[in-house]
């Protein structure tokens, strides 16, 4: 009897000890302290660097990877990370030297080859990488990723590893901004494990960033811990991050209020009214590199007549941006006055007020312009949007209201919802829309080039309205070839003025990123891509 | 009995093929899923073509359907766009939703039938009117209102439950979501049982049973309830399928990663493989439930025989 009691006591003591060490184990990850939990959405594509083109997957990549450059979370400027030197004499051939002492978290050294192989993998048509076009500036891209037919080469001829730490990149055209694009996730190096055991790597990605993946349950949770041997200067200030998949950002917000979650990086629109009283100064609302515009079907003759420019300008003047951003978005968007984003900064290419009077609300002027331009095609504009995500219906209806009021005509503008994003995209990318449609652009890297070339250059990848202008194309080419950054910015702004004078697309507003967090956290900030700067967050 | 079951099973085949074909066509009409895969930037033509080929989207729809069905019979439900096997998605989603459905059905049967019996026996009394009014309220308030309200009160204000269900979704955490999911059906079950009981109470066999001097509880459970349950069983049986497929709202509110969530994601991302795969299984569940209901009739009322 006594023996039994003793055994029970011993078992209890051991259990307590085990629990205690288990608790201790979570806490003693060095100076980092405890882990935090954050809301997440299931990434749309497999988690490969060159295959991830949305924020949720990008969030993970930016935690477990570091590339040649890293965008400063405050200024957005591209700063050297793994790159020791990026040298060029002609803006076409670049010699890149990789810093010594970096490894992947599985111990493999990061060499020039880690980059060359990863870039060739990303560009190869065979691997179906959705970000392959990022490598399209490199010589030989057309051989590994032809527009039609089979690829005729495995590697790009413009990419060569010279030695362990040096490689050269030859571009197919001059592009002075090229080094600044290298902070994008598609350009990170990859370890051998990625190619040798691809399925295994996807189940538990291995990178070279401040965090390592501890466990990954697809569709529900990813647990990342601080990598103690991380050689970089931006080591994690916390023990780790647990990303929890939420089906609805309202539930994530409710969980934050109930104390079950530490950080939400997408405060739902319905909560914007109470967020200040709920969270006080634990709420952040800062500009992100996202601009919303109304694009036009320039391929449609009705929108491409001599007077069409005036009609487009008139529509722009009929939209009361101040009112809509204040009432519908509770100030989480800022009326746009150019075609880039404030996160670029004045030196980086953002020019407040470049749009001038054309972006200012004036009902009388709007009416006059549209009449001078020959009236609305067919007497009515239909603004097409996808109704499944975002609160697009809300603002499209508001924009239409504004236009209808300005023109004194109840039927001048109506919304035209399309069920799913995929369907909306398939219609807009195949030029099947006959009126203006919503166009959102989130920057890939903080350069004015990224806000202009993909969207307005002739036949560019996201020029869904098929706008084409020789002068614009010429100015962009010249700006890309310009080696002096200040002069390049100037040229891009000249090109932007061409967009304005033709009103190729109506700028609506710049989007902000928002975040709310629990009392446990401090030092929370959002980077220009509206992703939390996880490694700087302090817990406790 | 055996022949009846076989005949029913054979009848299921055309229903199954028709239902899957319909879903397949409906998802296909929605347009090109590859267009949505690249976000706000257009997929370059070569990659898009390659992806279409990989997912078999470059073939005519009838051929896609035949290939798909051929694969389904070998247990291959295809791959979702994020690279996961649909069977893998199913193996994580179905257990969760089945647990949720079990909780909901238990609530439905236990609370619904009990309330139904109580009110049916006390027709016209205050208890009866009270429950009738309550069920009317439950039926008329949409599920998402009940769900959000309970989540806010119990989860945030009073802190009795966690507002969201963790990824392992144990039974304990599913009680409130299950109650929310069951609420409307529960009200119907109550009303069905009540009417049925009230009607049968006046029948001859009940009067005989009372005249024989049987104890009251025996009269109620053995004679009255057994005969009154047939419409209720029909309803609950059909409801199991509805609950599993229709859990989208409840699963979204409580962050449950079950069938509703996967279906919703599949539709949003226009992922034919996911949607058709899950709906196929749901169709099977529906058919199986119907069969079980029909067989249960014979158990409840021996006069019903199947040839």
């Amino acid at each position: 009897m006594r023996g039994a009691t003793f055994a029970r006591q011993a078992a209890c003591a051991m259990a307590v000890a085990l629990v205690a060490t288990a608790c201790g184990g979570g806490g003693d990850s060095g100076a980092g302290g405890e882990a935090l939990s954050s809301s997440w959405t299931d990434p749309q594509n497999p988690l490969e660097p060159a295959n991830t083109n949305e924020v949720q997957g990008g969030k993970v990549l930016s935690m477990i990877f570091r590339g040649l450059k890293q965008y400063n979370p405050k200024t957005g400027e591209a700063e050297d990370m793994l790159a020791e030197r990026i040298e060029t004499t002609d803006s076409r051939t670049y010699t890149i030297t990789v810093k010594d002492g970096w490894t992947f978290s599985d111990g493999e050294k990061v060499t020039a080859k880690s980059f060359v192989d990863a870039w060739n993998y990303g560009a190869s048509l065979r691997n179906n990488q959705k970000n392959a076009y990022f490598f399209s500036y490199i010589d030989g891209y057309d051989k590994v990723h032809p527009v039609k037919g089979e690829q005729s080469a495995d590697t790009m001829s413009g990419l060569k590893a010279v030695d362990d730490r040096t490689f050269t990149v030859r571009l197919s055209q001059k592009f002075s901004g090229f080094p600044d694009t290298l902070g994008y996730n598609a350009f990170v190096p990859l370890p051998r494990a990625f190619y040798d055991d691809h399925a295994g790597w996807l189940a538990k990605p291995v990178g070279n960033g401040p965090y390592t993946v501890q466990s990954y349950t697809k569709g529900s949770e990813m647990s990342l811990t601080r990598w103690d041997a991380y050689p970089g200067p931006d080591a994690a200030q916390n023990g780790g991050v647990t990303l929890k998949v939420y089906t609805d950002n309202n539930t994530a917000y409710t969980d934050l209020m109930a104390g079950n979650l530490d950080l939400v990086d997408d405060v739902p629109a319905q909560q914007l009214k109470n967020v200040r009283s709920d969270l006080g100064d634990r709420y952040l609302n800062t500009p992100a590199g996202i601009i919303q515009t109304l694009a036009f079907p320039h391929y449609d003759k009705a929108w491409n007549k001599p007077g069409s420019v005036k009609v487009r300008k008139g529509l722009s003047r009929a939209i009361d941006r101040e009112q809509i951003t204040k009432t519908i978005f509770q100030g989480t968007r800022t009326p746009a006055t150019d075609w880039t984003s404030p996160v670029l900064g004045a030196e980086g290419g953002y020019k407040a007020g470049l749009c001038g009077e054309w972006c200012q609300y004036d009902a009388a002027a709007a009416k006059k312009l549209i009449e001078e331009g020959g009236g609305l095609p067919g007497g009515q504009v239909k603004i097409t949007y996808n109704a499944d995500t975002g609160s697009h219906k809300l603002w499209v209806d508001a924009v239409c209201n504004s236009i209808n009021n300005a023109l004194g005509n109840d039927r001048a503008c109506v919304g035209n919802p399309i069920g799913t994003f995929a369907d909306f995209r398939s219609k807009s990318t195949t030029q099947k829309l006959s009126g203006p449609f919503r166009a959102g652009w989130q920057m890939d890297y903080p350069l004015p080039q990224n806000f202009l070339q993909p969207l307005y250059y002739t036949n560019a990848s996201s020029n869904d309205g098929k706008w084409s202008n020789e002068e614009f194309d010429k100015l962009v080419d010249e700006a890309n070839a310009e080696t002096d950054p200040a002069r390049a910015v100037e040229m891009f702004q000249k090109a932007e003025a061409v967009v304005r004078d033709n009103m190729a697309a109506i700028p609506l507003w710049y989007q902000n990123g928002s975040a709310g967090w629990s009392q446990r956290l401090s030092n929370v900030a959002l980077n220009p891509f509206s992703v939390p700067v996880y490694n700087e967050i302090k817990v406790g | 009995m055996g022949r009846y079951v076989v005949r029913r099973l054979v009848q299921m085949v055309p229903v199954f093929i028709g239902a899957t074909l319909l879903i397949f066509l409906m998802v296909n009409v929605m347009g090109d899923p590859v267009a949505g895969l690249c976000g706000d930037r257009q997929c370059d033509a070569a990659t898009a073509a390659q992806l279409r080929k990989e997912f078999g989207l470059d073939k005519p729809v009838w051929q896609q359907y035949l290939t798909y069905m051929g694969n389904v019979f070998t247990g291959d439900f295809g791959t979702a766009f994020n690279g996961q096997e649909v069977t893998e998605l199913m193996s994580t989603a179905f257990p969760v939703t089945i647990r949720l459905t079990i909780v909901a059905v238990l609530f439905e049967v236990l609370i619904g039938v009990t309330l139904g019996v109580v009110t049916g026996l006390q027709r016209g009394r205050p208890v009866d009117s009270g429950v009738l009014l309550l069920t009317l309220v439950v039926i008329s308030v949409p599920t998402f209102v009940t769900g959000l309200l309970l989540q806010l009160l119990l989860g945030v204000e009073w802190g009795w439950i966690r507002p969201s269900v963790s990824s392992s979704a144990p039974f304990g955490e599913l009680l409130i979501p299950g109650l929310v999911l069951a609420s409307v059906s529960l009200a119907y079950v109550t009303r069905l049982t009540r009417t049925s009981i009230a009607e049968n109470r006046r029948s001859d066999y009940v009067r005989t049973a009372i005249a024989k001097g049987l104890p009251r509880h025996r009269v109620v459970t053995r004679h009255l309830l057994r005969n009154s349950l047939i419409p209720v069983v029909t309803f609950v049986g059909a409801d199991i399928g509805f609950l599993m497929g229709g859990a989208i709202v409840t699963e979204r509110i409580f962050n449950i990663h079950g069938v509703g969530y996967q279906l919703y994601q599949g539709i949003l991302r226009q992922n034919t493989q996911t949607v058709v795969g899950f709906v196929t299984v749901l169709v099977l569940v529906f058919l199986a439930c119907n069969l079980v209901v029909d067989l249960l009739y014979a158990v409840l009322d021996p006069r019903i025989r199947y040839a």
Side-chain angles (χ1 to χ4, degrees), chain A residues 123-163:
Chain A
S124 171
L125 178 58
R126 214 171 288 130
N127 301 322
N128 291 343
Q129 304 286 294
K130 290 170 196 88
N131 281 342
Y133 57 80
F134 271 96
F135 307 102
S136 60
Y137 296 106
I138 300 173
D139 236 5
Y141 175 78
D142 49 346
K143 292 273 191 322
V144 300
H145 200 115
V147 182
K148 273 206 180 85
E150 294 284 305
Q151 65 184 86
S152 54
D154 287 333
T155 54
M156 291 181 281
S157 57
L159 201 57
K160 279 200 179 69
V162 179
D163 58 45

Side-chain angles (χ1 to χ4, degrees), chain A residues 31-101:
Chain A
E34 289 175 70
L36 63 121
S37 55
S38 175
S39 67
W40 195 33
T41 309
D42 209 14
Q44 193 178 8
N45 301 312
L47 262 182
E48 298 164 288
N51 206 11
T52 298
N53 54 5
E54 36 75 59
V55 181
Q56 303 301 337
K59 199 187 266 183
V60 176
L61 293 179
S62 66
M63 291 164 88
I64 62 171
F65 275 109
R66 283 294 176 262
L68 290 166
K69 293 259 185 182
Q70 171 82 3
Y71 299 116
N72 184 305
K74 286 198 185 63
T75 61
E77 204 178 321
E79 294 162 351
D80 285 345
M81 183 54 82
L82 262 76
E84 195 168 283
R85 282 187 307 275
I86 300 179
E87 289 163 323
T88 182
T89 48
D90 57 357
S91 295
R92 207 181 146 191
T93 311
Y94 290 88
T95 309
I96 299 170
T97 314
V98 184
K99 271 184 198 156
D100 204 10

Side-chain angles (χ1 to χ4, degrees), chain A residues 211-469:
Chain A
Y211 291 96
T212 55
V213 177
Q214 187 76 28
S215 66
Y216 180 20
T217 318
K218 276 188 187 152
S220 63
E221 200 171 281
M222 178 184 264
S223 155
L224 298 129
T225 49
R226 176 193 149 92
W227 180 30
D228 286 326
Y230 174 67
D234 53 347
Q237 304 292 305
N238 46 57
V241 178
T242 305
L243 297 172
K244 290 184 181 172
V245 172
Y246 278 89
T247 50
D248 188 340
N249 58 0
N250 272 300
T251 313
Y253 188 80
T254 313
D255 248 1
L256 175 72
M257 298 313 298
N260 292 324
L261 185 72
D262 289 320
L263 176 66
V264 293
D265 59 355
D266 177 21
V267 176
Q270 296 93 316
Q271 306 287 358
L272 288 174
K273 271 184 210 147
N274 345 327
V275 69
R276 284 278 171 210
S277 56
D278 283 348
L279 295 170
D281 54 5
R282 287 180 285 118
Y283 165 67
L284 190 74
N285 176 26
T286 54
I290 307 172
I291 183 169
Q292 299 282 344
T293 60
L294 274 188
F296 288 97
H298 294 283
Y299 47 82
D300 186 339
K301 281 209 179 81
W303 286 99
N304 206 356
K305 288 185 300 201
S308 295
V309 175
K310 281 198 165 166
V311 176
R312 295 198 289 268
K313 283 182 172 167
L315 282 173
S316 176
R317 297 209 73 173
I319 300 169
D320 192 347
R321 297 170 178 77
E322 294 282 345
Q323 176 87 27
I324 294 170
T325 50
K326 207 159 57 193
T327 52
I328 301 228
F329 296 118
Q330 310 282 337
T332 57
R333 302 197 181 178
T334 314
T337 58
D338 83 336
W339 280 260
T340 65
S341 162
V343 297
L344 295 181
E347 268 177 49
Y350 168 65
K351 191 165 181 186
L354 184 121
C355 183
E357 58 174 324
W358 307 117
C359 289
Q360 279 158 17
Y361 178 68
D362 185 334
K367 202 171 176 183
K368 195 164 152 252
L369 274 165
I370 291 175
E371 271 165 19
E372 281 174 12
L376 297 170
Q380 189 181 46
V381 281
K382 278 189 179 162
I383 301 180
T384 308
Y385 61 96
N386 56 308
D388 56 347
T389 50
S391 37
H392 299 310
K393 182 179 164 42
L394 278 177
W395 70 257
V396 169
D397 287 349
V399 164
C400 272
N401 248 328
S402 180
I403 293 174
N404 290 345
N405 286 342
L407 302 186
N409 173 3
D410 271 354
R411 300 183 28 81
C413 175
V414 289
N416 176 31
I418 288 185
T420 61
F421 178 68
D423 198 15
F424 169 71
R425 286 299 296 163
S426 72
K427 288 212 169 73
S428 60
T429 53
T430 50
Q431 284 75 47
K432 292 223 173 72
L433 299 174
S434 55
F437 51 97
R438 80 158 193 95
W441 183 251
Q442 168 143 29
M443 66 174 185
D444 302 311
Y445 36 81
L447 283 184
Q449 180 264 352
N450 191 237
F451 281 93
L452 297 173
Q453 193 164 0
L455 291 160
Y456 308 112
Y457 198 83
T458 302
N459 285 327
S461 55
S462 291
N463 188 350
D464 297 329
K466 295 280 166 207
W467 187 67
S468 175
N469 183 295

